[in-house]
Amino acid sequence: MNSHAAPDLSWILDELVSAPGARHAVLLSADGLATAGSAGVDRDMADRVSAIASGMQSLSRSGAGFVSDDETPWQQTMVSYKDGFLFVIAAAEGSFLVASAGASVDVGAFSYQMAKTVERLGDELAVAPRQPQTERA
């Protein structure tokens, strides 16, 4: 799954999901649009996961006041399921990285690998906010 609007970053997502226990990865914009996906992620899956992850990070940000009296930025959300995990992390300005892994994954190591993936790509992950389209006459 590749986006025409962004550079092809699927190679690094494929590299991320080559970790033991990893399954899928999707890069998305802050407004919930998939911009890249690892092998095996089709457009429907990427769109569905992007909508889920966008909502998860938004809700997670709202919990900051429960964690600290000071303003504290959201960094990562992890949801645990019987058969695995779903991770969402801040990637760059205007983007997020979401990944899934099976129950056997080393959660700490995989979270670290996600952070290193984001660090390696840096500003290439940034997604500019969408501009409203003007009507054509």
Side-chain angles (χ1 to χ4, degrees):
M1 192 228 92
N2 295 321
S3 172
H4 297 292
D8 181 8
L9 300 175
S10 59
W11 65 272
I12 200 159
L13 299 180
D14 290 341
E15 190 176 288
L16 174 65
V17 299
S18 70
R23 293 183 40 110
H24 304 293
V26 175
L27 179 65
L28 63 136
S29 64
D31 56 0
L33 295 177
T35 59
S38 61
V41 175
D42 63 19
R43 174 56 66 185
D44 288 341
M45 178 188 287
D47 289 345
R48 186 174 58 254
V49 168
S50 294
I52 292 164
S54 181
M56 286 173 56
Q57 65 80 25
S58 178
L59 290 170
S60 296
R61 286 177 191 274
S62 298
F66 189 66
V67 172
S68 174
D69 290 335
D70 298 324
E71 279 202 33
T72 184
W74 167 84
Q75 294 178 318
Q76 177 177 348
T77 300
M78 182 189 81
V79 180
S80 176
Y81 299 90
K82 179 182 174 217
D83 292 332
F85 302 90
L86 181 71
F87 303 84
V88 182
I89 68 169
E93 186 65 35
S95 67
F96 305 101
L97 177 61
V98 58
S100 64
S104 66
V105 75
D106 178 331
V107 170
F110 191 62
S111 291
Y112 177 77
Q113 189 61 39
M114 288 180 71
K116 291 311 250 178
T117 298
V118 167
E119 188 178 292
R120 281 176 57 199
L121 286 175
D123 290 337
E124 283 188 61
L125 295 176
V127 177
R130 281 189 287 173
Q131 298 299 317
Q133 292 184 352
T134 57
E135 290 187 33
R136 295 180 186 190

